């Protein structure tokens, strides 16, 4: 016999569902973890795609690594923030670790000139002021500048947080943001 409170109870909020799913997954419930994945993967993948410079395969790899880390770390999740927030931070940290480990991350910043960047942009067709143009221009930014811009302007991080995560001075974070914005203006034809 079904309990009447179960059938008449209001649907629970996603936050409550996330907390219950996190507890179940931390206890080893694979189906609960799969529901967490299905609920959060698309949003995290969009973020990672930007941080990985539009490289879909790289973003997928980082997403997979993020959820591997989440599976391992869920028992330590204390629920002090929403599960989505915790996964978001884990995804960003995973992407930044991958970018720091990548030789491309350092070599592009050190060796790329403004003329090289503008030459690359000439190959990208543009229709002024569309979202697609912004996405394309964002993808052509040097990795550090792109990471700072995404974290600051899109994700809302403070320069101190960015500096800590990217292992740079706060002033470098501000300079990279200025650099990224300037390059975007040029690439979008607003200079």
């Amino acid at each position: 016999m079904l309990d009447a409170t179960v059938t008449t109870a209001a649907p629970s909020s996603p936050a409550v569902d996330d907390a219950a799913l996190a507890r179940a997954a931390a206890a080893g419930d694979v189906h609960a973890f799969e529901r967490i994945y299905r609920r959060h993967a698309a949003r995290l993948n969009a973020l990672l795609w930007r941080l990985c410079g539009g490289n879909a395969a790289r973003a997928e790899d980082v997403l997979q690594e993020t959820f591997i880390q989440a599976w391992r770390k869920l028992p330590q999740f204390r629920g002090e923030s929403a599960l989505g927030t915790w996964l978001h931070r884990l995804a960003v940290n995973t992407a930044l670790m991958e970018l720091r480990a990548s030789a491309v991350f350092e070599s592009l910043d050190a060796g790329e000139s403004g003329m090289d960047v503008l030459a690359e942009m000439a190959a990208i067709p543009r229709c002024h002021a569309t979202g697609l143009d912004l996405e394309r221009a964002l993808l052509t930014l040097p990795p550090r500048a792109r990471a700072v811009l995404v974290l600051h302007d899109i994700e809302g991080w403070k320069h101190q947080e960015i500096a800590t995560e990217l292992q740079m001075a706060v002033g470098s974070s501000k300079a990279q943001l200025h650099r990224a914005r300037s390059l975007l203006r040029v690439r979008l034809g607003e200079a």
Side-chain angles (χ1 to χ4, degrees):
M1 180 170 200
L2 288 174
D3 182 1
T5 59
V6 172
T7 58
T8 61
S12 57
S13 70
V16 173
D17 287 341
D18 274 352
L21 288 172
R23 285 190 299 277
D29 184 340
V30 175
H31 296 294
F33 189 73
E34 181 179 345
R35 287 183 62 196
I36 291 169
Y37 177 85
R38 290 180 191 275
R39 184 173 288 173
H40 296 280
R43 182 178 56 86
L44 295 175
N45 193 51
L47 165 68
L48 295 171
W49 182 81
R50 283 185 178 101
L51 286 173
C52 292
N55 184 326
R58 193 174 191 189
E60 283 291 328
D61 288 346
V62 175
L63 181 67
Q64 181 178 12
E65 183 59 30
T66 297
F67 277 98
I68 290 169
Q69 293 284 334
W71 177 255
R72 290 181 186 145
K73 293 180 178 186
L74 263 173
Q76 289 86 38
F77 176 65
R78 297 183 305 261
E80 294 172 358
S81 64
L83 180 64
T85 302
W86 182 77
L87 288 169
H88 181 275
R89 185 65 171 216
L90 186 61
V92 168
N93 289 343
T94 303
L96 294 178
M97 283 190 298
E98 200 276 339
L99 289 172
R100 279 195 299 265
S102 169
V104 173
F105 188 74
E106 295 300 327
S107 65
L108 281 179
D109 269 348
E112 192 171 48
S113 75
M115 292 308 291
D116 294 336
V117 171
L118 291 173
E120 288 174 24
M121 278 304 296
I124 299 175
R126 293 199 317 234
C127 301
H128 292 285
T130 67
L132 184 56
D133 289 335
L134 179 59
E135 287 293 340
R136 286 180 178 169
L138 184 63
L139 299 179
T140 65
L141 293 175
R144 265 190 201 264
R146 180 179 59 246
V148 171
L149 182 99
V150 168
L151 293 174
H152 187 274
D153 287 356
I154 297 173
E155 297 301 317
W157 287 31
K158 304 289 183 221
H159 283 291
Q160 183 59 51
E161 295 171 302
I162 296 167
T164 299
E165 286 300 320
L166 295 179
Q167 300 175 346
M168 64 172 60
V170 171
S172 295
S173 175
K174 291 177 180 180
Q176 289 290 340
L177 180 61
H178 176 75
R179 176 183 185 202
R181 288 175 176 168
S182 295
L183 288 170
L184 282 178
R185 277 192 291 277
V186 167
R187 291 171 186 179
L188 293 172
E190 300 173 7

